[in-house]
Amino acid sequence: MISSALTALTQIFEQPLRAIFWKTLGYTLLLLLLVWVALNGAVATLVTLPYPWLETVLSLLTGIGAIFVLGYLVAPVTAVIAGILQDDIAEVVERRSYPRDPPGRAMPLSEAIPQAIKFTGVVILGNIFALFLLLIPGVNLIAFFVVNGYLLGREFFEFAAMRHMSAVEARAFRRAHSTTVFLSGLAIAGFLAIPFLNLLTPIFATVMMLHLYKRLTYRSSRPRPL
C-alpha cells in the first residue's frame, strides 16, 4: 500500500501524465466554478432584501458559504472527473510501468456511464452523511476519512480491477483484500483533505489503485511454499 502511494505521488507529475494533469485540473476547477456561480445565482434570485447594503452583505456571506460548500464537493467532483479520465490515466500507467503485462480493457461506454453515475451518487450520499456528522464533536473528521476512505478506495480499486476482469470478479477480488483496499482508501482521503493538491485526486487515486491491483495480483499468483 505504502509503495503504491509513493509511486503514485512521483508519477502524477511526470511527463507522460502531464497532459492529463492539466486536463484534470481544468475540468475540476471548471465544475467547481460552475457550482459556485450557481449557488450565488440561486441565492440572489430567491432572496430579495429591502436595502442595497443588506444585499451586499448577503452576497459576501453567500460567497464565503459557497467556498465552504465547495470543500465538501471536491469528492463528488472528483468522482465525475474520474469517470471521464480514468481510462486515459490507466493506459498511460500500464504502458509505462507494466509493458510486459496484457493491456487493460477500456470500459465500454454502456458500462462506463452507469458506473460513473453510481460512483458519483455513492460519493455524494456518503459525504452528505459525513456532513450531518459535523454536528457531533470529535466525530466529524473521523467520519470524513472513514466514509471517503471506504467509498473512494472501493470504487477506484474496482475500476482498476475491471480493466482486467469482470465486475463480479473485481468485487470478489476487492473483498478478498478489503483491509488493504480500505487502508489505501484512507490514503486517498488524506490526499483529498489537502487544499489545492486535492484537485489532483482523480490522477493520484487511479495511479495508486492500479499499482495496488498489480501488486496484489502478482502476490496472489505466486506459488505458495509447501
Side-chain angles (χ1 to χ4, degrees):
M1 181 201 77
I2 295 173
S3 60
S4 298
L6 292 175
T7 303
L9 279 173
T10 59
Q11 285 190 326
I12 60 176
F13 298 106
E14 290 179 356
Q15 179 59 41
L17 286 171
R18 200 161 295 167
I20 300 175
F21 169 98
W22 290 113
K23 197 183 294 185
T24 300
L25 192 61
Y27 284 158
T28 304
L29 289 173
L30 179 61
L31 274 175
L32 291 174
L33 178 62
L34 290 174
V35 171
W36 186 81
V37 170
L39 287 173
N40 278 278
V43 171
T45 302
L46 296 174
V47 180
T48 303
L49 296 173
Y51 302 107
W53 67 270
L54 281 177
E55 291 183 357
T56 302
V57 171
L58 178 64
S59 178
L60 289 172
L61 292 176
T62 301
I64 294 170
I67 292 172
F68 176 79
V69 170
L70 290 182
Y72 282 89
L73 289 177
V74 170
V77 167
T78 290
V80 175
I81 302 302
I84 297 171
L85 297 173
Q86 266 185 317
D87 276 314
D88 294 340
I89 299 167
E91 286 173 10
V92 171
V93 174
E94 288 179 352
R95 189 168 59 248
R96 177 179 174 81
S97 299
Y98 307 99
R100 296 183 180 180
D101 291 0
R105 174 186 66 96
M107 196 177 295
L109 198 60
S110 59
E111 294 178 26
I113 292 175
Q115 183 71 15
I117 292 172
K118 186 198 85 168
F119 186 12
T120 305
V122 165
V123 172
I124 289 173
L125 289 175
N127 279 275
I128 288 173
F129 174 72
L131 191 58
F132 280 125
L133 289 178
L134 277 175
L135 302 174
I136 307 175
V139 175
N140 43 21
L141 191 61
I142 296 172
F144 173 86
F145 280 100
V146 170
V147 169
N148 282 294
Y150 173 74
L151 293 175
L152 294 174
R154 184 186 74 179
E155 297 298 331
F156 277 100
F157 184 81
E158 287 187 7
F159 162 79
M162 281 191 291
R163 287 180 58 81
H164 301 273
M165 57 180 69
S166 70
V168 174
E169 290 171 327
R171 282 192 289 272
F173 191 67
R174 191 258 307 167
R175 292 190 190 106
H177 302 280
S178 57
T179 301
T180 303
V181 173
F182 174 67
L183 292 174
S184 300
L186 290 179
I188 297 173
F191 193 91
L192 189 67
I194 303 172
F196 302 111
L197 194 61
N198 58 8
L199 298 174
L200 302 176
T201 302
I203 300 180
F204 172 76
T206 301
V207 175
M208 177 183 177
M209 286 307 192
L210 255 169
H211 287 301
L212 182 67
Y213 166 77
K214 288 289 187 179
R215 289 184 169 106
L216 290 176
T217 53
Y218 292 161
R219 186 190 305 168
S220 301
S221 63
R222 286 179 192 162
R224 295 183 180 179
L226 297 176

